């Protein structure tokens, strides 16, 4: 099929970007979206033009690196997938496809379609871990009985891959879904209780320092999340934060 692409090009973080039009012919329906971009880049290189920079790594929907805004939707028209899992059968011959990077103050563009998402790393570093002394006996943690539905809920929160689709989908560029998932995966388990108060306060503080917006409960983040992270995590984080604030 023949596609008409409008792709954001930006030389570097300080340069002014613009949409550039490309026409790509011979696209097969069983290609992945990233394979389609690979073919476009091969054509650009053969013409002596600079290829389009975009993030990718595992190409298996695990790492969350391949984050693109496609026709106004994070990760494209399908649900519960990342860009690398999106295939060209989701599009039709003659379609116009608009491809942009994530749009958020806290995710500045590095080049073309690549954004700097180290803000998520700093939120994680602020408290998304367990540092208590477990006496060097890892078997002890596995010996604590945990109800299945609690373990399952914690695991659901832990499936967050930090892609940033929640931020890109939110009109406020809020990182509440990401942060709450990282808080919840520990808050639900006994191993995370010792540092619970410090964790939620430090992570929320860092989230605000990074310049993310606040949550106004529109729910776009949950809809666009490739792992289906629930809004219930935001409610849980709010409860954890309120409780920690009362304790001082």
């Amino acid at each position: 099929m023949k596609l008409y692409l409008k792709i954001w090009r930006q030389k570097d973080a300080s340069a002014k970007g613009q949409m550039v039009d490309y026409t790509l012919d011979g696209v097969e329906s069983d290609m992945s979206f990233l394979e389609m971009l690979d073919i476009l880049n091969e054509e650009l290189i053969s013409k002596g033009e600079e290829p389009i920079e975009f993030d990718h790594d595992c190409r298996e929907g695990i790492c969350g690196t391949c984050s693109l805004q496609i026709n106004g939707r994070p990760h494209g028209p399908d649900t519960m997938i990342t860009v690398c899992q999106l295939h060209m059968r989701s599009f039709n011959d003659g379609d116009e496809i608009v491809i942009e990077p994530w749009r958020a103050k806290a995710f500045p563009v590095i080049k073309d379609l690549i954004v700097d998402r180290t803000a998520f790393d700093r939120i994680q570093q602020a408290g998304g871990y367990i540092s208590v002394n477990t006496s060097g006996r890892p078997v002890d943690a596995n010996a604590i009985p945990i109800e299945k539905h609690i373990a399952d809920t914690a695991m659901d929160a832990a499936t967050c891959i930090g892609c940033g689709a929640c931020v890109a989908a939110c009109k406020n560029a809020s990182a509440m879904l990401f942060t709450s998932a990282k808080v919840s995966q520990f808050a639900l388990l006994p191993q995370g209780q010792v540092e619970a108060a410090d964790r939620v306060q430090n992570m929320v503080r860092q989230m605000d320092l990074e310049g993310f917006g606040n949550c106004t409960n529109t729910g776009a983040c949950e809809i666009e999340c490739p792992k289906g992270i629930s809004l219930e995590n935001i409610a849980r984080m709010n409860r954890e934060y309120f409780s920690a604030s009362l304790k001082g």
Side-chain angles (χ1 to χ4, degrees):
M1 60 180 133
K2 188 174 185 179
L3 298 172
Y4 301 93
L5 309 173
K6 290 183 177 293
I7 301 178
W8 182 261
R9 301 302 307 263
Q10 185 171 334
K11 185 176 180 180
D12 53 47
S14 59
K16 184 178 180 180
Q18 62 179 349
M19 301 300 294
V20 177
D21 293 339
Y22 299 96
T23 301
L24 187 61
D25 209 348
V27 177
E28 298 179 10
S29 61
D30 58 352
M31 288 179 180
S32 73
F33 198 87
L34 295 187
E35 287 173 333
M36 180 272 293
L37 289 178
D38 288 338
I39 291 173
L40 175 60
N41 274 343
E42 288 175 2
E43 288 193 3
L44 293 176
I45 293 170
S46 67
K47 296 175 184 177
E49 299 179 25
E50 188 170 0
I52 298 157
E53 300 285 346
F54 62 94
D55 262 339
H56 64 93
D57 191 0
C58 73
R59 298 202 178 200
E60 294 180 348
I62 298 171
C63 69
T65 306
C66 58
S67 303
L68 301 176
Q69 193 97 344
I70 302 169
N71 287 344
R73 290 190 62 181
H75 295 301
D78 291 347
T79 57
M80 297 289 287
I81 63 168
T82 55
V83 173
C84 62
Q85 296 172 300
L86 178 66
H87 285 78
M88 300 313 297
R89 54 180 168 268
S90 297
F91 303 93
N92 299 310
D93 183 44
D95 276 358
E96 179 180 270
I97 304 176
V98 180
I99 309 170
E100 302 172 85
W102 285 169
R103 300 294 189 183
K105 178 183 177 181
F107 288 162
V109 174
I110 297 174
K111 185 175 182 180
D112 292 341
L113 302 173
I114 301 177
V115 298
D116 181 355
R117 284 175 291 177
T118 54
F120 271 9
D121 296 334
R122 290 188 288 272
I123 294 173
Q124 184 85 2
Q125 292 162 3
Y129 52 82
I130 294 174
S131 62
V132 294
N133 187 348
T134 59
S135 74
R137 288 175 53 84
V139 69
D140 290 349
N142 297 323
I144 302 173
I146 300 172
E147 295 182 22
K148 186 178 187 305
H149 77 277
I150 293 177
D152 287 346
T153 304
M155 185 61 195
D156 288 343
T159 59
C160 169
I161 56 177
C163 66
C166 51
V167 176
C170 179
K171 63 180 182 179
N172 306 318
S174 172
M176 290 281 278
L177 193 68
F178 165 79
T179 307
S180 66
K182 300 305 178 183
V183 167
S184 290
Q185 71 182 77
F186 296 117
L188 287 160
L189 301 176
Q191 295 91 336
Q193 293 303 312
V194 178
E195 300 169 298
D198 288 340
R199 176 182 301 110
V200 69
Q201 288 181 311
N202 291 339
M203 292 183 75
V204 170
R205 184 183 302 114
Q206 188 63 42
M207 177 184 70
D208 291 339
L209 287 173
E210 297 294 343
F212 291 105
N214 205 355
C215 174
T216 49
N217 298 309
T218 58
C221 54
E222 180 179 356
I223 293 171
E224 301 295 357
C225 176
K227 299 301 177 182
I229 303 297
S230 172
L231 287 175
E232 292 178 2
N233 290 295
I234 296 178
R236 183 178 299 107
M237 184 177 75
N238 286 337
R239 292 194 298 270
E240 290 281 326
Y241 186 82
F242 183 65
S243 176
S245 300
L246 290 179
K247 292 176 183 177

